[in-house]
Amino acid sequence: MSTFQAPKGTYDLTPPRSATFLAVREAIAAPLRDSGYGYIETPGFENVELFARGVGESTDIVTKEMYTLTTKGGDQLALRPEGTASVLRAALEANLHKAGNLPVKLWYSGSYYRYERPQAGRYRHFSQVGAEAIGTEDPVLDAELIILADQAYRSLGLRQFRILLNSLGDKECRPVYREALQSFLRDLDLDEETRRRIEINPLRVLDDKRADVQKQLTDAPKLRDYLCDACKAYHEEVRALLTAAGVVFEDDEKLVRGLDYYTRTTFEFVHDGLGAQSAVGGGGRYDGLSEMIGGPELPSVGWALGVDRTVLALEAEGIELDLPYTTSVYAVPLGEEARRALFGVVTGLRRAGIAADFAFGGRGLKGAMKSANRSGARYALVAGERDLAEGVVQLKDMESGEQSAVPLAEVEAELAKRLG
Ligand code: AMP
């Protein structure tokens, strides 16, 4: 070990587990790419105001969890705590919404940072794959995104997840509900901080995990009873589309989520094998966000799925992904001359698109074959001086143990044939 360790709340991805992370990212991205979502990448940090305004001044993410910094030039920046505000900022900056092709459908993958109290499944650096559909108000779009996330999880083999669904109303009906909720909450027996929250963001009080608070909330006014007709119809349509697609969901009136920008459809994917940090992904509609960050009216919807927790969910369900061999062929030279010859073969294989590795460092047969085994390669190529004198290499099938001599000039074609 060196003098240094990964900072608190972070961890390194190292082989072989890191391969699962790549596979999870790929599994989430694939259905998006197949559905018209284009890849977007934004900086790891932004002007701190973007998140303050976009995510919300009253949220934990902004008040407690942001990594902020002042540059030598005096700019106030923050490491990105989430993806949506950045993606929308970038789409507006590039005028993607003016290209006459709405919605603008984008997907992204990257690192996010929150100064949280670390625990299992909750880190200060974590990884998300996300999707945003910008500029269109259409329940089909909300349904599409939920269906694509469901498809991604299912393609990984996950089964013990549930989809929670709710509607948060819009700028017509939410304020009416907000006031009703506030007057209900003000009469309860709550601590100072929660009382403050009632005034800033009362919906989030519903999210309080403490049993004594939850007990007092039993008779709280329900958002469902306050939804305007347009919101009700919209929500019913989303529900009907999901049902038609065979996607099972649960109505969860308490689902408000930790970010201020959500309107109408909100949803969360929870996994039952993860303990307290059970949310593997979530998202919703954010019709007002563009205007909040100085853009035009652009109703949008999106989600972000956590890669770290998805990997934990796979482990909880005991799912081992069928990862492709990273190395197909492993070359073991015996002697100086064989080193040159086999390295030439390996270079040729790689150029032909066959994944190949090599026993470096002039090691003996036994140690080198151990490495060949550990590499997961299907075939080993072994050659010593006698083989070279005969113009052949020994090709060993690592699964069956069978070995045969193949002329040097034919190795590449033979392996290409066997590996299909
Ligand atoms: P959010 O942006 O809070 O809705 O988070 C979306 C998803 O990102 C969550 O469902 C988690 O899977 C993941 N996530 C959020 N915060 C963390 C964290 N601190 N550590 C690990 N994963 C996280």
Side-chain angles (χ1 to χ4, degrees), residues 114 116 121-123 126 128 257 279-281 304 306 309:
R114 292 182 196 172
E116 299 203 76
R122 194 211 264 157
Y123 312 105
F126 57 96
Q128 289 182 339
R257 303 190 27 80
V280 285
R309 285 187 202 166

Side-chain angles (χ1 to χ4, degrees), residues 257-326:
R257 303 190 27 80
L259 297 85
D260 273 358
Y261 51 59
Y262 287 113
T263 49
R264 290 197 168 169
T265 314
T266 42
F267 50 87
E268 202 155 87
F269 290 80
V270 293
H271 192 276
D272 291 325
L274 293 187
Q277 302 304 315
S278 62
V280 285
R285 185 154 270 289
Y286 49 94
D287 292 341
L289 180 57
S290 174
E291 288 148 291
M292 276 149 86
I293 63 168
E297 192 183 333
L298 282 174
S300 307
V301 56
W303 51 240
L305 308 189
V307 177
D308 309 73
R309 285 187 202 166
T310 304
V311 172
L312 292 174
L314 287 171
E315 290 167 0
E317 287 199 39
I319 297 169
E320 286 212 23
L321 297 181
D322 192 13
L323 300 171
Y325 286 136
T326 45

